[in-house]
């Protein structure tokens, strides 16, 4: 019985779970930001590539 009382009072597991949830939230935010930045960066490089091709094909 005292084992279960100690288990209920023990907050180390809860703290670890909280840190895990915070880390997961940060990871999701970072992945979202990097995906958005990657799309924007890809579009920028595509635009530069198109402009360079147009500049080199003119006689």
């Amino acid at each position: 019985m005292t084992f279960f009382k100690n288990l209920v009072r023990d907050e180390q597991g809860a703290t670890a779970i909280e840190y895990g949830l915070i880390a997961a939230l940060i990871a999701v935010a970072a992945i979202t930001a990097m995906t958005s930045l990657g799309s924007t960066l890809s579009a920028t490089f595509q635009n530069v590539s198109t402009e360079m091709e147009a500049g080199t094909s003119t006689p």
Side-chain angles (χ1 to χ4, degrees), residues 12-28:
Q12 286 181 339
T15 303
I17 291 171
E18 290 169 358
Y19 283 131
L21 289 173
I22 291 169
L25 180 63
I26 291 171
V28 168

Side-chain angles (χ1 to χ4, degrees), residues 4-59:
F4 292 112
K5 287 181 183 178
N6 290 336
L7 188 61
V8 170
R9 290 183 192 152
D10 186 16
E11 294 183 4
Q12 286 181 339
T15 303
I17 291 171
E18 290 169 358
Y19 283 131
L21 289 173
I22 291 169
L25 180 63
I26 291 171
V28 168
I31 289 169
T32 303
M34 289 178 198
T35 301
S36 176
L37 178 64
S39 298
T40 304
L41 194 58
S42 177
T44 301
F45 279 120
Q46 185 62 39
N47 187 25
V48 169
S49 176
T50 303
E51 293 295 324
M52 289 179 68
E53 286 175 5
T56 58
S57 63
T58 306

